[in-house]
Amino acid sequence: MPKDHGIGASPKRREDVRFLSGTGNYTDDINLRGQAYVHFLRSDLAHGKINGIDTTAAAAMPGVLRIFTGADFEGVGSIPCGWQVTDKHGQPMQEPAHPVLAQGKVRHEGDPIAAVVAESAAQARDAAEAIEVDLEELPAVVDMKAALADGAPKVHDDLTSNLCYDWGFVEENKGAVEEAFQKAAHVTTLELVNNRLIANPMEPRVAVGDYNRASDDSTLYTTSQNPHVIRLLMGAFVLGIPEHKLRVVAPDVGGGFGTKIFHYAEEAFCTFAAKALNRPVKWTASRSEAFISDAHGRDHVTKIELALDAENNFTALRTDTMANMGAYLSTFAPSVPTWLHGTLMAGNYKTPLIYVNVKAVFTNTVPVDAYRGAGRPEATYQLERVIDKAARELGVDPIALRRQNFITEFPYATPVAVEYDTGDYNATMDKLEEMGDFKGFAKRREASEARGKLRGLGVNCYIEACGIAPSNLVGQLGARAGLYESATVRVNATGGLVVMTGSHSHGQGHETSFPQVIAEMIGIDESMVEIVHGDTANTPMGMGTYGSRSLAVGGSAMFRATEKIIAKAKKIAAHLMEAAEADIELKDGAFSVAGTDKSVAWGDVCLAAYVPHNYPLEEIEPGLEETAFYDPSNFTYPAGAYACEVEVDPDTGKVSIERFSAADDFGNVVNPMIVEGQVHGGLAQGIGQALLERAVYDENGQLLSASYMDYAMPRADDVPFYNVDHSCATPCTHNPLGVKGCGEAGAIGSPPAVVNAVVDALQSAGRDVTHIDMPLSPNRVWQAMHG
C-alpha cells in the first residue's frame, strides 16, 4: 500500500493552490508607492566603441526622472564572478571587468548602454528611443576558433587575448593517457557540438529596488534562485552596501533552470537608482529582452577519443573542448565546463585513465553560464555518443559494451578526482530493458517500416554530481563562496513549526516535500509545518537552489536542526514525566517512557517549552528553536539508464519520439509524485535540446533566433508519454536522508538517448550516418540521410 503521509507519500503540492488559482505573488506583482520604471537602451551591435551619448532630448521628454549612463557608475564595483579557475600552467584565468552599464565599449548585442527612469514604463521606453548614441562598429568575434586565432579582434582590450583559461585535468595523467592510446587495440573519435540554449523560464526576470532614507536600508525584490548570494555579491562587491543594510527578497519565482542563479546588472541598477532617486525603481524584462540579456547555456565544441583494448575494455579517454563564455564572466560560468564537467567524464564506467582539456573563450555574444544540469549534460552527451559509436565500429551490442565496462564496486574513486559512494548500474539497466520492452522492439520496427518510417532505439547511461560540496574542497577549486545550506526550525507554543531555509523554491515543491521530512521525524501531520524561504531578512544565510541540492543539502540542514529540537524536547518531556532522558522515545507525535504507559503529547511539551513551570530553568532554557548549517562531505551521485525509440520520416527527415523510458537511482525518495514531475520536466528540456532548440548568431554577432518565431521550444506534441521509474535506489551514504537529487537528471540523460536512437534508425536502414549535431531538425536529418 502506498504511504499517505510522511517520507515516501505523494500528497498534492500545497503551493499549487495559489499558483493554479492565480494568487501567487511574483516579483512583477509587487508595486510600491511612488514607484518609477526603468527602460534599458541596449546595444544593437555586438561590438562597438561608444564615442558619445546625447541624452538632451530624451531627458526633456514627459515623465523622465533621470537618465543614467556608464559615467554614473564610475567608482561602482564590477559585476563579480563567483568562481576562479586556474589554468593548466597554474595561472589564474583572465577576468575582465563587467560594468553595470557599458563604459567605453559594448561587447554583445543587448549590452546595456543607458537606463531611463520615468514615471511610467511607456514614458521610459519612449525616452530611451530618443537617446542618441555615437556607436562606432568594431569587428565582432562569434566563432570560438576564430576568436583564438592570431590577430583576432579582442573582446576586452585590456586582456592579452580572448582565451579566458586553458584548463587541463588531470594534468598528471596526460602522459599515461597518451601512452594508453598508443597501445590501444581500437580508438573511436567523435567531434560534436553541444548547442547553445536559451533557458526561457515562464516568468521573465524582474527587479524592484527600494530605499528607505530614514534607516538607510535598501531592498531588492528579484526573480532569483538564491537571494542570499545576490545580497552578498551585489552588496559587498558592486554597490558597497553592508549586508545588514541590504535586504533581498525572491518571492514566488516562475521557473529558473539555472538562469536565475546569477547576479545581473539590472538588479544592481534598480537598487542603485532607487537610492539615487529616493523612489522605488522597477524593471520587468520583455521576452525579446530576455533573449539578449539572460545568460545562455551550453555552447561547447568537443573532440572526444575513447581507447579500448582487444577485449573491448575502456583503457583511456581524452577530450578537447572549447567552451563559450560570451562577452563577460557570469557568476558561475568558469566552473561549468571545468569542475562540473571534467570531473564527470568517467561516467558510469571504470575507465582507468582520463584527460580533459578545456579552453574557455570570450566572444561577442551573451554570457553563458549554468543551464539545467550545468556541465553534467555536456559530459554525458559526449561520453555516451562516443561509446555508441565505438559499439557500432566494433560490431558489438551497445548495451553489452556498457555493461562490460560498468563500475560494480563501491565506493569507487574515479581518475577525475571524485569518489562515488553508491550505485548499481546493472540494476538500472535491467530495469530499463524491462520498462522499454526491448524484446518487442523488432516487431515495432517492422510495424514502422510497414508505414514507410525508419525506427531506431537509443540507450544511454548517466551519472551526475549534485549537492556540490564540501565548502573547503570547492574553495580550493576556485569557488568564492561556501556551498553549505542552513535551516532554522522554530516550534510554536501550540506545536506548529515554522522552518526558515536558505534554499529557494521556484517549481521544486519545497513547501510540500520539506514538511514531509519534518513531520515524519516528529510524527505529526504535514499541515503543522510551514516553510519560509526567499527573504534574507527572515531566513538564515544560505546558498539557494541549483544543482539538485535542495533536499540533499537544504533538507539535511532541516533534519539536523529538527534533531536538535527533538533532543531538547526530550529533556523537557523527561522532566514532565519524571523519567531519565535516555528512556524517552518519540513516536507518532507523543513522547513516552520506554517500558511504561507514561506519555505526553508533542503539543504539551511545546507548550511547556514556552510556559516553563515544570522544569528547572537552570538546566533547560525556555523556547524551542534551533538552527543548523549543513556542509556535505561529498557530492551525491544520482545515476540512471534511459531509452528512446524514434520514428524518422525518410522523405522529410522529421523525427518523432514514440517511446521514452527512464530508470533512475535517486537514493531515498521523499515525494514520488514530485520526483516524477521533476524527471518529466527535465526530459522535455533534454528533448528540446536534442530536436528543436538552438541559439544562432550570424557572423556579425546578431542573434538570429531572438524570439519564439525563430527559437523552437518543445510543445506537447513534440514529447511522448514517459515511462519513468526510480525503484532501483541505492541510498546516499553521507547525508542523513540518504537522498541524491533528481531535478536535472532528465535533462542530462535524454539528449544522447534521442541522438543515439536517430543514428540507430538511419544506420539500420543502411544509411552511412555516424553522427548528427543537435538539434536534429528535419533539415539536418534529411541532409545526413542524403549525404
Side-chain angles (χ1 to χ4, degrees):
M1 289 277 300
K3 291 184 67 175
D4 60 2
H5 65 278
I7 294 175
S10 292
K12 293 181 180 179
R13 299 193 341 163
R14 63 169 71 173
E15 49 268 72
D16 286 349
V17 174
R18 68 177 187 274
F19 295 151
L20 296 175
S21 62
T23 55
N25 183 38
Y26 296 90
T27 308
D28 193 52
D29 294 322
I30 296 171
N31 293 291
L32 305 177
R33 184 177 180 181
Q35 177 175 283
Y37 298 81
V38 60
H39 184 87
F40 291 96
L41 176 65
R42 298 182 183 275
S43 174
D44 56 1
L45 298 179
H47 198 195
K49 180 182 178 183
I50 302 173
N51 292 322
I53 303 174
D54 186 352
T55 63
T56 305
M61 292 183 69
V64 174
L65 299 173
R66 182 170 169 181
I67 298 175
F68 295 82
T69 67
D72 294 295
F73 287 84
E74 291 180 3
V76 173
S78 170
I79 303 297
C81 178
W83 201 297
Q84 182 184 72
V85 166
T86 301
D87 72 11
K88 64 184 182 182
H89 305 296
Q91 297 300 309
M93 66 188 187
Q94 295 201 92
E95 188 172 357
H98 184 180
V100 174
L101 295 176
Q103 296 175 345
K105 283 177 65 173
V106 293
R107 295 178 174 85
H108 68 87
E109 181 190 10
D111 212 355
I113 298 173
V116 179
V117 181
E119 297 287 356
S120 73
Q123 290 172 327
R125 183 174 60 250
D126 290 344
E129 293 176 356
I131 297 174
E132 295 182 9
V133 181
D134 181 0
L135 193 58
E136 178 185 341
E137 186 169 9
L138 300 173
V141 286
V142 177
D143 178 78
M144 287 186 281
K145 188 174 181 180
L148 295 179
D150 291 340
K154 288 197 291 185
V155 178
H156 296 273
D157 296 334
D158 55 331
L159 302 187
T160 59
S161 69
N162 292 321
L163 180 67
C164 178
Y165 56 76
D166 185 353
W167 186 75
F169 188 71
V170 174
E171 196 65 28
E172 293 78 11
N173 288 354
K174 192 173 182 180
V177 169
E178 178 65 32
E179 183 179 351
F181 270 91
Q182 293 174 359
K183 294 179 179 179
H186 181 85
V187 174
T188 294
T189 302
L190 181 61
E191 296 185 15
L192 47 79
V193 174
N194 208 292
N195 39 323
R196 179 184 278 238
L197 303 175
I198 300 173
N200 282 306
M202 186 179 296
E203 175 201 31
R205 287 190 297 116
V206 184
V208 183
D210 191 20
Y211 177 67
N212 185 325
R213 179 172 287 178
S215 63
D216 193 32
D217 289 337
S218 293
T219 301
L220 171 69
Y221 302 90
T222 184
T223 47
S224 175
Q225 298 176 218
N226 47 2
H228 282 280
V229 174
I230 302 304
R231 183 178 68 162
L232 174 64
L233 295 177
M234 185 179 75
F237 298 100
V238 184
L239 301 181
I241 303 173
E243 282 187 277
H244 68 283
K245 289 294 182 181
L246 176 60
R247 176 189 178 199
V248 177
V249 182
D252 289 330
V253 173
F257 313 124
T259 198
K260 292 177 182 173
I261 297 171
F262 324 121
H263 175 39
Y264 287 96
E266 295 87 357
E267 295 169 320
F269 176 84
C270 289
T271 308
F272 178 89
K275 182 174 183 178
L277 298 171
N278 195 30
R279 289 183 63 173
V281 175
K282 182 175 185 176
W283 169 74
T284 299
S286 66
R287 183 60 66 180
S288 58
E289 196 174 16
F291 270 83
I292 56 173
S293 64
D294 290 3
H296 293 180
R298 313 286 193 254
D299 204 353
H300 289 189
V301 177
T302 296
K303 177 182 178 181
I304 182 170
E305 298 171 284
L306 176 64
L308 302 92
D309 65 17
E311 285 74 44
N312 296 338
N313 297 306
F314 301 165
T315 59
L317 181 80
R318 63 186 175 196
T319 72
D320 283 291
T321 292
M322 287 189 295
N324 204 332
M325 295 289 101
Y328 303 101
L329 290 178
S330 182
T331 306
F332 291 123
S335 68
V336 174
T338 52
W339 300 110
L340 299 183
H341 158 252
T343 54
L344 272 296
M345 284 310 305
N348 308 64
Y349 310 103
K350 53 189 177 186
T351 313
L353 293 165
I354 298 174
Y355 180 73
V356 179
N357 177 247
V358 177
K359 294 179 177 65
V361 185
F362 291 112
T363 62
N364 292 116
T365 63
V366 172
V368 179
D369 208 321
Y371 171 74
R372 197 170 190 168
R376 284 70 58 88
E378 294 91 322
T380 299
Y381 180 66
Q382 53 189 280
L383 181 59
E384 292 298 314
R385 282 295 297 123
V386 80
I387 291 173
D388 230 53
K389 187 169 185 275
R392 297 185 184 281
E393 290 174 353
L394 294 166
V396 300
D397 176 24
I399 295 176
L401 182 62
R402 287 175 168 85
R403 286 185 182 272
Q404 177 181 336
N405 288 279
F406 275 162
I407 298 164
T408 56
E409 296 182 1
F410 296 88
Y412 178 83
T414 75
V416 279
V418 294
E419 182 175 282
Y420 304 159
D421 60 333
T422 60
D424 190 340
Y425 309 144
N426 277 303
T428 51
M429 184 61 80
D430 290 343
K431 175 58 72 171
L432 181 72
E433 293 196 43
E434 173 193 326
M435 296 165 61
D437 183 25
F438 288 7
K439 293 179 181 178
F441 174 71
K443 287 187 177 180
R444 294 193 292 275
R445 172 172 273 171
E446 289 176 3
S448 295
E449 291 171 349
R451 297 194 302 272
K453 303 292 179 66
L454 311 179
R455 196 176 189 103
L457 170 64
V459 300
N460 81 282
C461 300
Y462 80 88
I463 189 167
E464 59 167 324
C466 302
I468 303 169
S471 293
N472 64 343
L473 172 60
V474 295
Q476 295 171 34
L477 303 181
R480 290 166 168 165
L483 291 173
Y484 54 82
E485 198 46 79
S486 61
T488 295
V489 177
R490 177 181 298 158
V491 183
N492 297 318
T494 53
L497 294 89
V498 178
V499 181
M500 292 153 280
T501 173
S503 297
H504 186 276
S505 182
H506 42 276
Q508 292 85 357
H510 292 174
E511 294 173 37
T512 301
S513 56
F514 285 164
Q516 290 179 250
V517 174
I518 308 299
E520 173 99 351
M521 295 177 70
I522 299 172
I524 57 177
D525 192 84
E526 288 98 337
S527 64
M528 296 178 67
V529 183
E530 181 177 349
I531 304 299
V532 175
H533 64 91
D535 187 342
T536 61
N538 56 26
T539 57
M541 175 70 176
M543 294 296 107
T545 294
Y546 46 84
S548 302
R549 72 190 301 268
S550 292
L551 192 57
V553 189
S556 293
M558 293 178 200
F559 186 95
R560 294 299 189 213
T562 306
E563 283 185 322
K564 295 181 182 180
I565 291 287
I566 292 172
K568 182 175 179 180
K570 282 184 174 181
K571 289 182 179 181
I572 298 172
H575 281 283
L576 294 177
M577 294 185 285
E578 299 179 336
E581 183 183 333
D583 294 333
I584 301 299
E585 298 175 344
L586 173 60
K587 184 178 180 182
D588 297 331
F591 295 91
S592 60
V593 180
T596 75
D597 59 358
K598 284 185 176 182
S599 69
V600 60
W602 164 259
D604 292 335
V605 173
C606 298
L607 182 61
Y610 290 95
V611 186
H613 294 167
N614 297 308
Y615 61 86
L617 293 177
E618 65 273 13
E619 296 181 20
I620 308 172
E621 65 181 26
L624 205 50
E625 179 174 326
E626 298 288 349
T627 295
F629 286 77
Y630 181 78
D631 199 347
S633 60
N634 192 3
F635 303 132
T636 64
Y637 298 99
Y642 287 5
C644 177
E645 286 188 32
V646 300
E647 278 191 344
V648 180
D649 186 332
D651 296 326
T652 65
K654 187 177 189 308
V655 176
S656 63
I657 298 178
E658 301 299 308
R659 297 165 65 100
F660 203 107
S661 301
D664 294 294
D665 174 4
F666 296 137
N668 294 334
V669 170
V670 170
N671 187 309
M673 178 193 68
I674 288 178
V675 167
E676 187 170 334
Q678 287 285 301
V679 174
H680 283 194
L683 292 174
Q685 287 186 274
I687 290 169
Q689 176 175 14
L691 296 182
L692 299 162
E693 298 182 50
R694 182 185 174 215
V696 182
Y697 283 92
D698 70 10
E699 66 276 8
N700 298 313
Q702 295 294 311
L703 183 63
L704 301 180
S705 53
S707 74
Y708 290 144
M709 293 293 290
D710 301 295
Y711 187 91
M713 294 282 284
R715 300 178 300 182
D717 59 354
D718 293 313
V719 297
F721 286 98
Y722 309 114
N723 184 13
V724 303
D725 178 88
H726 47 258
S727 65
C728 300
T730 59
C732 175
T733 61
H734 56 77
N735 68 56
L737 295 171
V739 297
K740 294 186 176 182
C742 67
E744 297 164 297
I748 295 169
S750 51
V754 174
V755 177
N756 288 346
V758 173
V759 171
D760 177 64
L762 302 186
Q763 288 200 348
S764 298
R767 309 300 172 95
D768 184 20
V769 177
T770 59
H771 179 69
I772 307 172
D773 275 325
M774 300 184 292
L776 275 64
S777 63
N779 180 56
R780 285 187 171 186
V781 174
W782 190 91
Q783 288 194 1
M785 292 171 63
H786 295 277

